Amino acid sequence: MSAVDRDGPLAGKVAVVTGGASGIGLAIATRLAADGAAVAALDLDGAAADAAAAAIKADGGDAIGLAVDVTNRAGVEGAVAAVVDQLGAPTILVNNAGLPQFGPFLKLDLDTWQRVIDVNLTATFHCCQVVLPHMVAAEWGRIVNISSSSAQGGQQLMAAYVSSKAGMIGLTKSLALEFGRKGITVNTIPPGFIDTPMLRRSEAEGQLGPGVDAAIASTPVRRIGLPEDIAAATAFLARDDASYITGQIIGVNGGRNT
């Protein structure tokens, strides 16, 4: 992590990042902190969330790590209350926590379907409902929902995942229309192929077809995406510079989807 800019574009802001302890979420939390925001990293893995916060603080930032299951409404409410108490009222929310899913549609059971919807979509609903009142009170807010490029073009053998991420895109557009007059923007970033532990696990399990190298070969910029690529776009959307951008799908995918 680069040194924290205490006078950076997000100085004085408090950000909540779900799934903030690894991969894309950790890169986002780190970048927002570098730009001056105080950051709460929420993650199912409490030890990893604490480690993420400790790394940010070691570089001069303000951060806390909180163990929370974002599918549990009471847990989300308790976590946001802790953020208010320890850092201040959050006005930046990044819904990044996610759960992958692979398998033939006709073998997709209801429990798996519901779990994926709960983690990827219903948790976004919970977090938005809990954090938005703080944004409304401040008359300023930024919500960035991390969806998926698979929701733009579809993807076989991932019906529950694609459906949940498409739902995030629809929720983004609806909230942008409802809350724009209150100084709140809501956008979604659907990442393309991003080099994360989740991606590498999926590759090791044989879930990515010909694999990462084949994906790179079919990507116009000829490289795999990095978590920092998503973090950079998220940080921009959180700034005042992006106040006229809302309800948008900001693809960060190396040209795989245009």
Side-chain angles (χ1 to χ4, degrees):
M1 175 180 168
S2 58
V4 169
D5 184 356
R6 290 283 185 172
D7 297 316
L10 300 181
K13 307 298 185 185
V14 176
V16 170
V17 181
T18 70
S22 66
I24 291 172
L26 177 58
I28 290 171
T30 301
R31 176 58 187 268
L32 296 180
D35 283 355
V39 177
L42 276 56
D43 204 280
L44 193 61
D45 186 338
D50 287 340
I56 290 171
K57 289 190 285 188
D59 279 303
D62 292 327
I64 58 172
L66 295 169
V68 60
D69 178 352
V70 288
T71 69
N72 181 288
R73 180 58 173 252
V76 171
E77 291 173 345
V80 173
V83 173
V84 173
D85 182 59
Q86 297 181 52
L87 298 177
T91 54
I92 299 171
L93 170 64
V94 182
N95 288 299
N96 167 76
L99 182 69
Q101 171 269 323
F102 300 94
F105 177 71
L106 293 179
K107 294 184 178 180
L108 176 60
D109 62 84
L110 182 58
D111 286 345
T112 299
W113 169 273
Q114 192 62 60
R115 178 61 179 164
V116 173
I117 296 295
D118 284 347
V119 173
N120 296 348
L121 181 57
T122 306
T124 300
F125 160 80
H126 288 322
C127 292
C128 287
Q129 273 205 335
V130 174
V131 174
L132 265 166
H134 297 289
M135 299 180 179
V136 171
E139 298 182 332
W140 190 97
R142 300 286 185 268
I143 297 175
V144 181
N145 294 322
I146 307 301
S147 54
S148 170
S149 59
S150 67
Q152 296 173 282
Q155 182 64 49
Q156 63 179 338
L157 305 178
M158 297 183 72
Y161 181 81
V162 171
S163 297
S164 67
K165 293 297 188 175
M168 290 182 76
I169 292 173
L171 179 61
T172 295
K173 290 180 173 291
S174 181
L175 295 182
L177 293 172
E178 183 172 350
F179 291 95
R181 71 198 70 182
K182 298 183 183 297
I184 299 164
T185 67
V186 190
N187 294 287
T188 182
I189 296 174
F193 245 59
I194 307 298
D195 197 355
T196 64
M198 183 183 294
L199 181 81
R200 293 299 180 176
R201 283 195 300 271
S202 297
E203 181 184 33
E205 294 167 1
Q207 305 287 4
L208 301 183
V212 170
D213 288 342
I216 292 172
S218 64
T219 299
V221 302
R222 293 299 191 270
R223 71 170 175 87
I224 193 170
L226 301 176
E228 290 77 13
D229 294 318
I230 308 303
T234 301
F236 170 70
L237 291 172
R239 296 182 179 188
D240 283 328
D241 292 341
S243 63
Y244 202 56
I245 302 172
T246 194
Q248 301 305 304
I249 302 170
I250 309 296
V252 182
N253 55 49
R256 290 175 63 87
N257 298 84
T258 60

